[in-house]
């Protein structure tokens, strides 16, 4: 994965901690409006509770991922001008950030699709849409605000669906392996063989996936909060992000794709 598709908080003005709203829930202990700095944000753009986010009730922060949009908006689009020093710019910066985050998220998925040998027939189309998406991130703030991101996402989504089908084709049987739209909250799937399943957008909150075989599973958009993947095998799975992994329970025996790391809370 390209380095610019990884978040680099040191070069970001903590945009996710200011620009985005959150609501009191299982993921956040209080409400915050968009554009309002989080009360835990320090003047040096560091989080005062960074090492205890989960225990303090900020699970939403642990499972958030900007895919590199934060440093791009901070250092490239706004040329290193902190919102604190440029309050007249802050509103447009906070509007642009979530839009660029969506574009970077698309780049991350397309990049993974391009890395697969199974999708070689799609590579010209994937490459073209990657370049178009990248070009959008280089536009001016006003141009970004006026982009039709929903239409572009639809084009990207179509290619990611084709990617998934090609990648999992040895495991697709009459469409019965798609659980799209079904609710698997708290599902008991311990030790099951789920290789090549389509978990696209699936709610797997608090599911028991201990020791499950999850190789070649498509995890795009799956909600894995508090799912237990201790001892599960997720090598060679598709579209699994670090933020999804951060929201799970796991242990030293969980096998992840090489581009992901085991969260610290798994080891405590
Ligand atoms: S709790 Fe920390 S990481 Fe979460 S929004 Fe606030 S400052 Fe940012």
């Amino acid at each position: 994965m390209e380095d610019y598709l990884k978040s680099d908080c040191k070069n970001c003005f903590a945009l996710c901690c200011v620009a985005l709203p959150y609501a009191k829930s299982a993921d956040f202990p209080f409400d915050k409006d968009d554009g309002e700095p989080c009360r835990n944000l320090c003047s040096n753009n560091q989080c005062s509770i960074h090492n205890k986010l989960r225990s303090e009730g900020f699970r939403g922060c642990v499972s958030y991922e900007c895919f590199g949009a934060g440093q791009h908006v901070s250092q490239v689009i706004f040329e290193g001008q902190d919102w604190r020093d440029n309050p007249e710019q802050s509103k447009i910066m906070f509007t642009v950030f979530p839009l660029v985050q969506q574009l970077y998220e698309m780049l991350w998925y397309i990049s993974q699709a391009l890395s697969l040998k199974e999708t070689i027939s799609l590579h010209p189309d994937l490459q073209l849409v990657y370049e178009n998406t990248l070009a959008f991130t280089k536009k001016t703030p006003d141009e970004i605000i006026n982009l039709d991101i929903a239409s572009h996402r639809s084009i990207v989504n179509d290619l990611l669906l084709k990617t998934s089908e090609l990648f999992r084709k040895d495991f697709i049987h009459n469409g019965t392996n798609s659980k799209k739209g079904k609710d698997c909250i708290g599902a008991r799937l311990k030790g099951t063989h789920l290789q090549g399943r389509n978990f696209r957008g699936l709610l797997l909150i608090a599911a028991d996936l201990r020791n499950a075989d999850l190789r070649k599973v498509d995890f795009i958009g799956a909600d894995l909060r508090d799912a237990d993947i201790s001892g599960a095998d997720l090598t060679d799975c598709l579209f699994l992000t670090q933020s999804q992994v951060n929201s799970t329970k796991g242990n030293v025996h969980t096998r992840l794709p090489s581009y992901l790391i085991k969260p610290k809370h798994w080891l405590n």
Side-chain angles (χ1 to χ4, degrees):
M1 197 62 65
E2 291 82 350
D3 279 347
Y4 63 86
L5 296 177
K6 296 175 186 158
S7 54
D8 176 8
C9 301
K10 288 192 297 303
N11 282 306
C12 174
F13 301 130
L15 294 178
C16 60
C17 305
V18 188
L20 306 179
Y22 52 72
K24 185 173 180 178
S25 62
D27 290 330
F28 296 102
F30 50 80
D31 296 330
K32 182 186 94 58
D33 288 333
D34 53 340
E36 173 194 346
C38 173
R39 65 182 72 161
N40 297 319
L41 184 63
C42 305
S43 57
N44 63 357
N45 289 326
Q46 306 234 326
C47 172
S48 61
I49 58 166
H50 178 71
N51 291 325
K52 46 182 180 176
L53 283 167
R54 285 176 68 89
S55 60
E56 295 281 329
F58 288 84
R59 287 164 176 251
C61 302
V62 178
S63 56
Y64 179 77
E65 171 70 62
C66 80
F67 298 97
Q71 69 261 28
H72 180 74
V73 172
S74 299
Q75 302 301 337
V76 179
I77 297 180
F78 288 91
E79 300 175 329
Q81 299 179 73
D82 194 331
W83 48 270
R84 289 186 176 82
D85 305 326
N86 300 277
E88 71 287 351
Q89 291 254 52
S90 61
K91 192 159 188 258
I92 189 164
M93 185 186 278
F94 299 154
T95 304
V96 163
F97 169 66
L99 301 175
V100 176
Q101 191 273 347
Q102 290 184 56
L103 294 170
Y104 266 73
E105 183 181 26
M106 289 183 233
L107 287 172
W108 190 91
Y109 287 125
I110 303 165
S111 179
Q112 185 168 106
L114 274 166
S115 72
L116 305 170
K117 62 181 185 313
E118 293 88 345
T119 60
I120 201 89
S121 61
L122 285 178
H123 280 197
D125 290 341
L126 287 165
Q127 189 62 42
L128 181 63
V129 81
Y130 186 92
E131 286 164 15
N132 289 343
T133 311
L134 195 59
F136 286 162
T137 70
K138 294 179 178 169
K139 290 186 175 291
T140 66
D142 284 336
E143 287 171 334
I144 289 170
I145 287 169
N146 287 310
L147 286 172
D148 185 353
I149 291 183
S151 295
H152 185 65
R153 182 179 281 281
S154 171
I155 295 166
V156 172
N157 196 38
D158 186 49
L159 283 170
L160 298 182
L161 281 167
K162 289 176 180 165
T163 294
S164 179
E165 285 172 10
L166 285 172
F167 184 71
R168 300 180 298 104
K169 71 177 186 322
D170 293 341
F171 304 93
I172 297 174
H173 311 292
N174 303 322
T176 54
N177 71 339
S178 173
K179 288 179 177 286
K180 189 172 182 232
K182 288 193 182 169
D183 178 356
C184 283
I185 295 173
R188 295 178 185 171
L189 298 165
K190 182 181 175 185
T192 49
H193 294 275
L194 300 165
Q195 195 176 8
R197 294 292 180 115
N198 182 9
F199 283 179
R200 169 176 269 259
L202 192 64
L203 298 179
L204 284 155
I205 299 165
D208 184 356
L209 289 160
R210 287 175 291 167
N211 302 318
D213 182 355
L214 300 167
R215 292 172 293 158
K216 287 227 160 196
V217 167
D218 179 352
F219 279 104
I220 197 164
D223 192 336
L224 293 165
R225 283 175 292 167
D226 284 331
D228 193 342
I229 54 173
S230 299
D233 188 353
L234 294 90
T235 50
D236 294 334
C237 66
L238 185 64
F239 299 144
L240 181 68
T241 67
Q242 187 66 53
S243 56
Q244 284 173 305
V245 172
N246 290 349
S247 71
T248 65
K249 298 174 184 170
N251 65 12
V252 289
H253 303 297
T254 306
R255 300 184 68 190
L256 292 174
S258 58
Y259 63 89
L260 297 174
I261 57 171
K262 292 178 181 171
K264 280 186 192 151
H265 70 266
W266 284 11
L267 311 174
N268 295 333

